[in-house]
Amino acid sequence: MARSGTALSTGDRAMHCLPSCVHMFQRGGLYLAFDAGSGTLLVLDEAGWEALGEILQGSPPAATGASLPARRELEDLMRRGLLLSSVPVPVPPRPVLKALCLHVAHACQMRCAYCFAAGGGYGGRAELMPRQVARAAVDLLLDPSSGVRRWAIDFFGGEPLLNWPVVVDTILYARERAHRLGGQVQFTLTTNALELSRERAGFLEEHGVNLVVSLDGRPEVHDAVRQLADQSPTWHRALRGALRAVSALRGAAGPSLWVRGTFTRRNLDFACDAIFLFGLGFPQVSLEPVCGGPPELALRPDDLPVLAEQYGELALWCAERARAGRPVRFYHFELDPAGGPCLARRLAACGAGREYLAVTPTGELYACHQLVGVEQFLVGDVYRGITRPEVADRMGEHEVSRLEQCRQCWARFLCGGGCRAQAFFEHGTLGQPPTLECALQKVRWEWALWLRAQRHMTDQEA
């Protein structure tokens, strides 16, 4: 029996405790158990599997048998707080703004069939963010009195490269302001790469800007849903831009590049698209499911068996690549249950509406980039700041320690209760996690834990 993981730091004063929860599962020929509270991952033999099952069922140990030594080892982990551990939930700290998603362009050349931004305009007219709005947003974020000295700014849209002068000015202005405050800003830009020239890619690399480039995988899959306004295909142009970014960032110690695709009901065999993108030379790939939108594209609960099989195929392929000395990173398999975000972040997921806000071209502040235009999630503007703090309070009411469906869940600290925007669009409320996303998260985390166990076992053998 092997163990991987350490106890989760819980901070100081506690309000209440989340119940203990251990998830036993089998993946890829391994018997695995994951302790939700401590982040401990166990790789079990048959005796350990039997002994843990007895403990969870409250059964007394068998009088004889190989499970007795394993049971003693498991009970030692329990005494050390690494198994069946409850989690004291600390009094939540006062939320402080740390990140902004700047919608520098509510405009786009493309008309993606599943786009939640309705072609980039979010249901309104096309517009670009003026320089003064972007600078006011930076001033709001880099508040000298907040105590924060590490901030994040994401350039988003629409297509942010359509407002390149403001992107450049914002980077230079924010870096200079952060330097005067003794802090640092991390930049990310999400782009369709159609306007990503070598010169622009070079500037972004020079200033340490991480890139997220949208490619949906195989050309026929991409072009079926990602077209220009005149219905022209975009795959070849997008690929050229993405390869320019790879060339600019190659060997750079700072900025990273992720290729981010989307899969729909038209390509349930999405593992083929991930493997295809890895084969083009992109070492970091993400594929996001469409859980809403047009009925012909949106995934359904009855797709779950096929999707689970696809995640399994992809995990096995990633493991084989790692064994061959050619590892790749699939976003949803990246997992550090013991050394990842602090407990407060695990309870509140992305921090939308509290630590993170979205900014429209006119300077309005929304709780999330996907909730732009939904009036009840408008929190203020860049000039007056947060004028509706009750929105942030409402977002904070739905952390996993307060959601009954999440309190008992083994994956509660891995997903933080799921995407708040998806929950709202599905249920009309923040009080329930999104149904399909919740199921997919659990499948992905099981395979991510399996991959972590594989790496642990390989390290032990080395």
Side-chain angles (χ1 to χ4, degrees), residues 120-163:
Y122 291 81
R125 62 184 179 85
E127 55 187 339
L128 303 181
M129 180 180 287
R131 184 181 72 164
Q132 62 268 26
V133 171
R135 288 194 171 197
V138 171
D139 293 340
L140 176 72
L141 177 65
L142 275 61
D143 178 2
S145 65
S146 70
V148 177
R149 289 300 178 266
R150 296 184 71 86
W151 303 275
I153 293 176
D154 295 349
F155 295 102
F156 202 73
E159 173 48 51
L161 292 183
L162 293 178
N163 200 2

Side-chain angles (χ1 to χ4, degrees), residues 421-445:
Q422 286 193 26
F424 173 76
F425 289 128
E426 178 181 348
H427 303 298
T429 178
L430 301 176
Q432 293 179 262
T435 306
L436 183 57
E437 185 206 11
C438 181
L440 290 175
Q441 290 258 24
K442 292 173 185 176
V443 170
R444 294 191 299 233
W445 293 136

Side-chain angles (χ1 to χ4, degrees), residues 12-29:
D12 298 320
R13 187 161 55 96
M15 293 173 60
H16 56 278
C17 284
L18 289 176
S20 61
C21 181
V22 174
H23 179 55
M24 298 176 66
F25 62 104
Q26 298 180 44
R27 283 283 181 259

Side-chain angles (χ1 to χ4, degrees), residues 372-425:
V372 164
V374 182
E375 184 68 22
Q376 69 189 80
F377 295 102
L378 175 67
V379 301
D381 62 63
V382 295
Y383 299 108
R384 295 177 299 161
I386 296 175
T387 57
R388 298 177 66 195
E390 66 273 15
V391 177
D393 293 340
R394 195 186 325 145
M395 300 292 280
E397 290 172 358
H398 300 289
E399 63 179 30
V400 296
S401 67
R402 304 185 188 189
L403 296 177
E404 195 55 39
Q405 304 98 311
C406 299
R407 285 174 54 82
Q408 307 284 341
C409 179
W410 66 269
R412 60 197 178 202
F413 292 138
L414 302 179
C415 73
C419 175
R420 306 299 192 258
Q422 286 193 26
F424 173 76
F425 289 128

Side-chain angles (χ1 to χ4, degrees), residues 29 69 122 127 157 161 173 213 241 280 355 362 364 387 434 445 456:
Y122 291 81
E127 55 187 339
L161 292 183
Y173 180 71
V213 177
L280 292 175
E355 296 182 350
T362 56
E364 292 178 320
T387 57
W445 293 136
H456 174 76

Side-chain angles (χ1 to χ4, degrees), residues 62-352:
T64 60
S67 65
L68 278 173
R71 181 157 183 147
R72 285 194 289 269
E73 191 174 346
L74 292 168
E75 289 171 344
D76 178 62
L77 292 176
M78 292 166 61
R79 284 190 293 271
R80 293 160 56 194
L82 298 175
L83 185 63
L84 281 172
S85 54
S86 59
V87 181
V89 178
V91 175
R94 180 180 65 87
V96 180
L97 186 62
K98 299 176 182 177
L100 290 178
C101 180
L102 294 187
H103 287 215
V104 292
H106 272 190
C108 188
Q109 320 95 310
M110 297 172 65
R111 296 295 181 269
C112 300
Y114 48 67
C115 181
F116 69 82
Y122 291 81
R125 62 184 179 85
E127 55 187 339
L128 303 181
M129 180 180 287
R131 184 181 72 164
Q132 62 268 26
V133 171
R135 288 194 171 197
V138 171
D139 293 340
L140 176 72
L141 177 65
L142 275 61
D143 178 2
S145 65
S146 70
V148 177
R149 289 300 178 266
R150 296 184 71 86
W151 303 275
I153 293 176
D154 295 349
F155 295 102
F156 202 73
E159 173 48 51
L161 292 183
L162 293 178
N163 200 2
W164 178 248
V166 168
V167 170
V168 171
D169 182 79
T170 304
I171 291 170
L172 298 178
Y173 180 71
R175 287 191 66 184
E176 190 275 333
R177 278 218 63 202
H179 178 73
R180 282 194 277 120
L181 293 173
Q184 185 178 358
V185 181
Q186 175 181 305
F187 300 99
T188 302
L189 185 144
T190 299
T191 176
N192 60 32
L194 301 189
E195 307 293 332
L196 189 59
S197 64
R198 295 189 186 278
E199 293 74 21
R200 290 179 174 183
F203 175 88
L204 296 172
E205 188 279 329
E206 178 186 353
H207 292 278
V209 180
N210 301 311
L211 287 177
V212 179
V213 177
S214 299
L215 281 174
D216 278 5
R218 294 162 290 180
E220 64 273 18
V221 169
H222 177 103
D223 283 336
V225 288
R226 295 182 62 81
Q227 301 173 350
L228 296 176
D230 64 4
Q231 299 185 322
S232 300
T234 62
W235 189 83
H236 288 287
R237 282 184 62 189
L239 177 64
R240 283 196 297 270
L243 292 176
R244 290 188 192 109
V246 170
S247 177
L249 299 182
R250 184 160 302 182
S256 66
L257 181 142
W258 283 86
V259 167
R260 183 205 181 281
T262 303
F263 67 92
T264 73
R265 294 203 85 241
R266 292 182 179 174
N267 61 312
L268 294 178
D269 60 341
F270 67 88
C272 297
D273 293 291
I275 293 170
F276 177 82
L277 291 169
F278 285 127
L280 292 175
F282 302 113
Q284 301 186 134
V285 171
S286 170
L287 283 178
E288 304 293 333
V290 171
C291 294
E296 69 275 12
L297 299 180
L299 300 169
R300 305 169 189 168
D302 57 1
D303 295 325
L304 188 60
V306 176
L307 301 177
E309 181 181 328
Q310 288 290 297
Y311 281 118
E313 288 185 14
L314 184 55
L316 293 169
W317 184 87
C318 289
E320 185 60 36
R321 286 274 303 212
R323 282 192 292 269
R326 296 180 295 145
V328 295
R329 299 177 69 193
F330 182 69
Y331 180 78
H332 291 297
F333 293 158
E334 292 295 304
L335 176 65
D336 185 2
C342 64
L343 180 59
R345 177 54 58 86
R346 295 183 190 208
L347 292 169
C350 66

